Each structure stands twice: as C-alpha cells, then as structure tokens.
Amino acid sequence: MADTAFHQPGKPGYILTMGEILVEIMATERGQSFREPGTLIGPYASGAPAIFIDQVAKVGSPCAMIGCVGDDDFGVLNVERLRVDGVNVSGISVIKTATTGSAFVTYREDGDRDFIYNIANSASGHLSVGNIRDDLLRQCSHFHVMGSSLFSFRIIEAMKKVIETVKGHGGTVSFDPNIRKEMLRIPEMREALDFILDYTDVFLPSGHEVMLLASASSERGAIEEILKRGVREIVIKRGKDGCSYYDGSAEHDLPALRVDEIDPTGAGDCFGGTYIACRAQGFAIERALTYACAAGARAVTQRGPMEGTATLAELDDFISHASEQSHG
Ligand code: ATP
Ligand code: MG
C-alpha cells in the first residue's frame, strides 16, 4: 500500500524535531563581502529544524521542538517566534552559560550563498540526550531529522534515542539529509546517516543528495535501492525544477511555480514541513506535494529564512495568484 506511511489510527500526536536554533544576519547587497564593512539586515529567526517546525505549525499540526538557546535576546527572538506561530516550545532549554547560535550570510552575484556559522560552539552545541523530555517523546507520532543538525556526537546519540523511541511506539520518521559532501568523509557520520536512513519512512533529499547515500550509479538506481531499504516515500526537491515523488508503485513529477527568487534560504525546510504536516493530516500525496511546492516557492520570494512560512490559506492564495500570472 503506497498511502500508508502516515496511517496511525487513533494516534494523532505531535510532529517533533530536534536541532539547531540560530539567528541569521544577512548582507543586504549581492556581491557584498565580509572582508570589509557593509550593511547587514537581521537578526532573523532561523535554524533548519526550526524553520521546518514553524511551517508545520502554520499548516496547523500539533508540533514541538527540542533545542537549546542562550539566555539572550537572540534566544528570545527565536523562542517567541516559534511560540507565537504555534510550536510547543517546552522542549527548548535556555543555557545560561552559552549564547544563541548565529549565521552570517553573503550572496554572490549569481545568487549562491556563503555562510559564517557559530553553531557548534553556541547553545545549540550543548544539545544532548539530557535535553529530551519524556512527555514530548510519548506524545510524538512523527519525528523529523535534519542532517544539518548532526554536528556533534552528543547530538547524534540524542537523535538515535529519539528515533528508536518514536519508532518503538509505532511512530514514523522523516529525514532531510541537508548535507555537505565533506561530512561524508567522516566515517562516524556515514554510519549515523545510514542508521537514520534505516529508520526513515519519508526521505526528503535535494536532487544531488539522492546519490550520496546509495551505492547505485544512477538516480533511478539510488531511488530503487533506498526504497528496498524500507523507506516508504521519497520526495526529491529540485529547486526551480520542482519535485519528484517515488514510493515503488506511484511516481509524480510536479513543476515549480514561477516566482522571482529573492532569498533561497529556507525553501527546502518550508517544503518539508508542509509535506509532512499535510500527509500527517491525511492529505493525498498529490495534494500534499502541491502545497509543499507552493510553500517552497513562496519561501524564496521572502527575505529571511523563516519569513516565508505560510498557512494553507496563504498558500491557496499564493497558488491562485501564481497561476493567474502564468495564464496572463
Ligand atoms: P537548500 O539548498 O536550502 O537545502 P533544498 O535543496 O532543500 O534547499 P530546494 O529544492 O531548493 O530545497 O527547494 C524546495 C522546493 O521549493 C523545490 O522542490 C521547489 O518546489 C520549491 N522551490 C525552490 N526554489 C524555487 C524557485 N526558485 N522557484 C520556484 N520554486 C522553488
Ligand atoms: Mg535542504
């Protein structure tokens, strides 16, 4: 049965994620460099898992996040933003001795981004098994893993614990690798990604990431290999080229909506949050994909990583305007 990855009769629960919470501060001009002073804008709420879960909340699914912030205004900005948007923030710890994570971003002329991160040495780097609240785990029916969060062995250990517990009580797991190739050269990282993939029900890679976790030499071969491992749904994100869905029996290709890209940060996270929340609410695959594509397209039209998160009503509105434009 293709449509069963989210079937949990009588067991509606939280969608949970865990990982880095940070502020993002961005250069205002394309081509600007951090080797000399320039104009910056921010702080904006950010962190890939935080953007994901904010989008889940906007789609209206009960959800929670486990993470760490410092005792500072960057932390307040993030936690308040998530709370106001409907995320249960009781699993976010305030670390008195650390500062909230940050990322500074410049944009090249071609739109590519360069980042200076302070995450591993920030409050987010303190995240460990000790931060996992048992009550959140018990109520969790779906856990989302962001590969970008796997930056310390303590976090990998914590991820494994949550995954095993959630799967142990009949929950499901989604995984967005969000990974840099260099990370795969660390043997323990490869092992951690393999572990996670073995428990994954819904896999949400970017186009180039499909091949990274399979031995096959073609995308098609990699998809088959990953489905054989027990993954039930694969949704490949293809930026301006939309997305593709595979589950072994059905396949769907959806084009992207045509938009002017202002800031690509957060598109994949908004896409993933929308897809997972829609599927958890029982939406059919194609309807969930349509909303997910709209969420990704809408995200790139907004400056700021989390500023593009949107409710289903906002996405309906966005879809109808986008289709008007393509017909006009
Ligand atoms: P990241 O590089 O930040 O990790 P990602 O690879 O996870 O991003 P993308 O493929 O860039 O995710 O974007 C997710 C989805 O958002 C795409 O599948 C597409 O539907 C939509 N999207 C992204 N960029 C655009 C764009 N420029 N125009 C229209 N839709 C877009
Ligand atoms: Mg991504």
Side-chain angles (χ1 to χ4, degrees):
M1 283 280 294
D3 226 11
T4 53
F6 285 88
H7 275 189
Q8 295 199 290
K11 204 177 173 312
Y14 280 109
I15 295 173
L16 180 70
T17 195
M18 175 164 77
E20 68 277 20
I21 295 173
L22 51 133
V23 290
E24 197 163 302
I25 295 169
M26 294 123 66
T28 56
E29 305 298 327
R30 285 203 174 183
Q32 196 176 319
S33 136
F34 282 141
R35 296 193 177 186
E36 57 194 12
T39 317
L40 304 176
I41 186 164
Y44 286 102
S46 191
I51 299 165
F52 170 92
I53 209 70
D54 193 78
Q55 178 57 33
V56 169
K58 289 225 173 152
V59 173
S61 289
C63 59
M65 174 156 189
I66 297 171
C68 298
V69 294
D71 189 9
D72 51 37
D73 285 345
F74 287 169
V76 174
L77 170 93
N78 273 291
V79 175
E80 277 309 293
R81 172 63 190 278
L82 293 172
R83 192 183 61 72
V84 166
D85 286 346
V87 179
N88 176 335
V89 294
S90 64
I92 301 178
S93 310
V94 178
I95 310 286
K96 296 274 182 201
T97 54
T99 49
T100 302
S102 57
F104 290 81
V105 191
T106 49
Y107 298 83
R108 297 186 192 180
E109 295 294 357
D110 65 5
D112 268 5
R113 294 158 289 171
D114 291 300
F115 293 89
I116 296 178
Y117 288 116
N118 170 35
I119 301 177
N121 294 316
S122 76
S124 288
H126 288 246
L127 189 56
S128 72
V129 168
N131 294 99
I132 301 168
R133 297 235 328 235
D134 285 341
D135 60 321
L136 287 179
L137 276 196
R138 271 197 304 278
Q139 294 174 68
C140 168
S141 57
H142 183 88
F143 181 57
H144 180 74
V145 182
M146 257 325 160
S148 60
S149 309
L150 306 170
F151 54 81
S152 82
F153 294 115
R154 280 190 301 195
I155 295 177
I156 292 172
E157 187 197 352
M159 286 289 183
K160 288 182 174 175
K161 178 184 167 175
V162 177
I163 290 168
E164 282 174 334
T165 310
V166 170
K167 291 289 282 200
H169 66 229
T172 44
V173 167
S174 51
F175 177 34
D176 179 343
N178 226 339
I179 206 145
R180 284 169 290 129
K181 235 181 178 156
E182 311 82 70
M183 284 167 86
L184 288 176
R185 297 203 193 105
I186 310 167
E188 292 87 347
M189 182 60 68
R190 177 109 228 169
E191 188 246 333
L193 295 170
D194 273 331
F195 175 95
I196 295 164
L197 199 56
D198 280 335
Y199 283 92
T200 296
D201 299 283
V202 182
F203 185 45
L204 297 160
S206 306
H208 67 281
E209 290 168 339
V210 192
M211 310 283 292
L212 292 181
L213 289 174
S215 56
S217 55
S218 67
E219 186 184 279
R220 175 63 60 179
I223 290 163
E224 281 168 15
E225 190 180 319
I226 291 166
L227 289 171
K228 269 206 197 91
R229 279 175 81 156
V231 170
R232 294 200 260 179
E233 302 183 3
I234 302 177
V235 186
I236 302 179
K237 294 167 285 176
R238 303 189 193 276
K240 279 192 276 296
D241 297 321
C243 70
S244 324
Y245 170 95
Y246 309 86
D247 64 21
S249 49
E251 292 189 15
H252 303 280
D253 279 305
L254 265 75
L257 292 168
R258 289 249 296 278
V259 297
D260 288 329
E261 184 176 296
I262 306 287
D263 179 3
T265 310
D269 312 326
C270 288
F271 179 100
T274 305
Y275 183 73
I276 295 300
C278 287
R279 294 287 287 139
Q281 289 178 30
F283 288 29
I285 292 158
E286 277 186 279
R287 186 157 176 244
L289 291 171
T290 301
Y291 276 121
C293 272
R298 190 178 180 284
V300 306
T301 66
Q302 308 288 316
R303 181 144 78 170
M306 202 188 279
E307 305 314 300
T309 57
T311 62
L312 291 182
E314 286 167 333
L315 293 177
D316 280 328
D317 202 47
F318 185 77
I319 292 167
S320 61
H321 280 93
S323 57
E324 261 167 39
Q325 270 171 5
S326 65
H327 292 131

